[in-house]
């Protein structure tokens, strides 16, 4: 099945306690996520990232996001994203498709 951004919008409800997905949105408990696909890791101005995430480099590609969202703690031990992760691969693919689509507009 193809990743479905509309379903991803629904999955994103699990993220909104900590993240804005709005253009120019504020950093909250987590950094704002507008345009995060392709954005360099840990690069949102004004957000205080963990050393764990600052130790990563390169852009957030689909594959990197897919690994991160499966288990943030496994991907970046010491991360302050206290979220267990999305165990279903289709949920991860859908939410990444949603975030990607957003950054386009
Ligand atoms: C970081 C996505 C849920 C708190 C991040 C980053 C992404 C992300 C992509 C890295 C951003 C960057 O490098 O600028 C998501 C998604 C979620 C989710 C898609 C839902 C499926 C949550 C929840 C919380 C949270 C529920 C709070 C309980 C954080 C924090 C960071 C972060 C504190 C910074 C991590 C660090 O510096 O180690 N998130 N997140 N996130 N998120 Fe989330």
């Amino acid at each position: 099945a193809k990743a479905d951004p509309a379903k991803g919008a629904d999955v994103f409800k699990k993220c909104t306690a900590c993240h804005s997905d709005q253009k120019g949105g504020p950093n909250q408990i987590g950094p704002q996520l507008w345009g995060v696909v392709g954005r360099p890791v840990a690069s949102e101005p004004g957000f205080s990232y963990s050393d764990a995430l600052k130790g990563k480099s390169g852009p957030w590609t689909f594959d990197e996001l897919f690994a991160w969202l499966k288990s943030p703690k496994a991907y970046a031990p010491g991360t302050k994203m206290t979220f267990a992760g999305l165990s279903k691969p289709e949920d991860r693919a859908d939410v990444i498709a949603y975030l990607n689509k957003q950054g386009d507009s």
Side-chain angles (χ1 to χ4, degrees):
K2 223 171 158 289
D4 182 342
K7 284 188 192 154
D10 206 48
V11 175
F12 192 76
K13 291 177 184 159
K14 296 185 174 173
C15 322
T16 53
C18 300
H19 292 284
S20 168
D21 60 349
Q22 299 303 299
K23 190 172 193 174
N27 295 324
Q28 298 172 309
I29 293 169
Q32 72 86 13
L33 294 179
W34 175 272
V36 72
V37 183
R39 189 168 91 186
V41 174
S43 67
E44 192 52 28
F47 187 80
S48 178
Y49 291 94
S50 67
D51 289 341
L53 212 57
K54 282 192 286 192
K56 304 279 176 188
S57 57
W60 279 118
T61 61
F62 179 93
D63 286 349
E64 296 298 322
L65 285 165
F66 195 74
W68 163 248
L69 292 175
K70 181 178 184 185
S71 171
K73 215 163 62 172
Y75 181 91
T79 180
K80 11 188 243 182
M81 176 151 135
T82 53
F83 175 74
L86 297 168
S87 57
K88 290 187 194 161
E90 59 270 33
D91 284 355
R92 301 200 296 277
D94 289 347
V95 83
I96 295 165
Y98 169 69
L99 290 168
N100 188 37
K101 192 164 187 245
Q102 256 200 334
D104 285 350
S105 49

